[in-house]
Amino acid sequence: MKYREIKPTGFLKNFVQCFWYYETDCEVQHTILPDGYFDLIAEFENDTLITVKLTGVWTKPKDISIPKNIKFFAVRFKLLAIEYLFQKEIKTIVDTTIKLPFTFWNLDTYKSYQFDLFVTDTLNSLETSLKHLNEIDSRKLNLFEIVYLQKTKTVFELSSQIFWSSRQINRYFSTQFGISLKEFLKIVRCNASYEEISNGNLSPQSDFFDQAHFIKEIKKYTGVTPKELSKNKNDRFLQLSKLEEK
């Protein structure tokens, strides 16, 4: 497999985690793990665009089969993007996807070898869109910055830091994303542990109460124990395979 990531800079980092490219030369089986993001994905088969889709937030592992000669152009978004860049909600597609028209963001105008052009054009378009947005709620900016950087552990701590009631935050998460803030914190915490696990560290991090809690949470969101996850047999877990390549 071939995999690339391009990360944005500046203010756009509040909305976009990365642009990513993936290519197969044989049929592969992967398990996608919850990571606290959602994706816009364009799929090419033998250089022909065949699918454009938007994912919801994953709260459980998802097994997928990818045929050979498939290429993906994709954007991995932080959750704040759904409200301000897409101006919609994704609560109705938790743990699933929806198809979009091929013309979405002009994806039908790109050839499968033009990933870098797609990134450049999309970056310019998104940066222009941000300039025309109404004022962005600073509480939401702070909320996602704190969570993605793993600066807090509980809903109460987060609520206290950004001066936004936990009830209002949970209503916002339920309305926009279809999950609770508590669930989101757990998903991001587990995602942050994947790098340590890929390096063979199977001891609980400071964010977990103890070894039993660590194993329970990892198994909930990956379907396997940390030990099995670390083995990543046949590159089953794509997120860990990417970490191992660094």
Side-chain angles (χ1 to χ4, degrees):
M1 74 178 187
K2 296 180 181 179
Y3 180 84
R4 290 179 58 201
E5 278 188 5
I6 298 176
K7 292 185 179 293
T9 59
F11 190 65
L12 193 58
K13 292 193 296 184
N14 289 292
F15 303 89
V16 177
Q17 169 64 11
C18 69
F19 295 81
W20 57 270
Y21 172 90
Y22 179 70
E23 178 181 347
T24 65
D25 53 13
C26 62
E27 183 176 351
V28 294
Q29 307 290 327
H30 286 308
T31 298
I32 305 301
L33 304 178
D35 57 11
Y37 304 102
F38 69 97
D39 293 79
L40 171 67
I41 302 173
E43 182 177 347
F44 296 83
E45 182 177 12
N46 295 319
D47 297 324
T48 300
L49 182 64
I50 59 171
T51 302
V52 177
K53 60 186 177 182
L54 187 71
T55 76
V57 179
W58 299 107
T59 67
K60 53 188 177 183
K62 172 71 173 179
D63 294 329
I64 60 171
S65 177
I66 306 175
K68 65 179 181 179
N69 299 323
I70 296 292
K71 297 178 182 178
F72 296 100
F73 291 4
V75 190
R76 179 163 298 121
F77 292 98
K78 297 181 179 179
L79 296 198
L80 191 62
I82 198 63
E83 177 181 1
Y84 289 100
L85 296 181
F86 289 81
Q87 297 184 353
K88 60 186 299 183
E89 47 77 18
I90 52 173
K91 66 178 181 180
T92 56
I93 56 170
V94 173
D95 291 317
T96 189
T97 64
I98 56 170
K99 289 186 176 181
L100 300 176
F102 286 7
T103 54
F104 190 83
W105 286 4
N106 299 317
L107 281 162
D108 59 331
T109 65
Y110 297 98
K111 303 297 184 182
S112 65
Y113 56 83
Q114 293 181 310
F115 175 66
D116 289 279
L117 178 61
F118 163 71
V119 172
T120 299
D121 289 348
T122 306
L123 279 172
N124 291 334
S125 178
L126 292 178
E127 288 172 350
T128 299
S129 296
L130 286 176
K131 292 177 182 178
H132 292 89
L133 284 177
N134 294 327
E135 184 176 355
I136 299 172
D137 192 328
S138 61
R139 297 173 305 176
K140 295 174 183 176
L141 280 170
N142 291 337
L143 183 154
F144 288 108
E145 179 181 15
I146 290 169
V147 174
Y148 282 122
L149 291 177
Q150 289 282 284
K151 292 183 178 180
T152 189
K153 299 179 182 179
T154 68
V155 174
F156 176 77
E157 290 173 344
L158 183 58
S159 174
S160 299
Q161 287 186 56
I162 64 175
F163 304 104
W164 195 10
S165 76
S166 57
R167 177 178 295 181
Q168 289 176 322
I169 298 174
N170 273 313
R171 185 181 301 118
Y172 169 63
F173 265 73
S174 176
T175 301
Q176 287 290 331
F177 317 117
I179 61 173
S180 68
L181 173 59
K182 184 177 182 180
E183 180 87 349
F184 179 59
L185 289 171
K186 289 181 177 181
I187 290 170
V188 173
R189 178 174 59 199
C190 282
N191 183 57
S193 73
Y194 296 156
E195 184 166 8
E196 288 293 328
I197 292 172
S198 71
N199 292 327
N201 185 353
L202 306 183
S203 298
Q205 306 303 298
S206 58
D207 288 339
F208 296 92
F209 298 126
D210 52 29
Q211 184 73 25
H213 179 233
F214 176 66
I215 294 173
K216 180 181 179 181
E217 290 290 286
I218 294 300
K219 193 167 185 179
K220 175 182 177 180
Y221 292 109
T222 69
V224 298
T225 64
K227 184 176 181 179
E228 185 174 348
L229 190 63
S230 69
K231 293 178 181 178
N232 197 15
K233 188 175 180 180
N234 298 321
D235 287 325
R236 172 185 171 188
F237 303 104
L238 187 56
Q239 283 103 321
L240 269 73
S241 298
K242 294 181 303 186
L243 291 168
E244 290 163 0
E245 292 178 351
K246 293 183 178 180

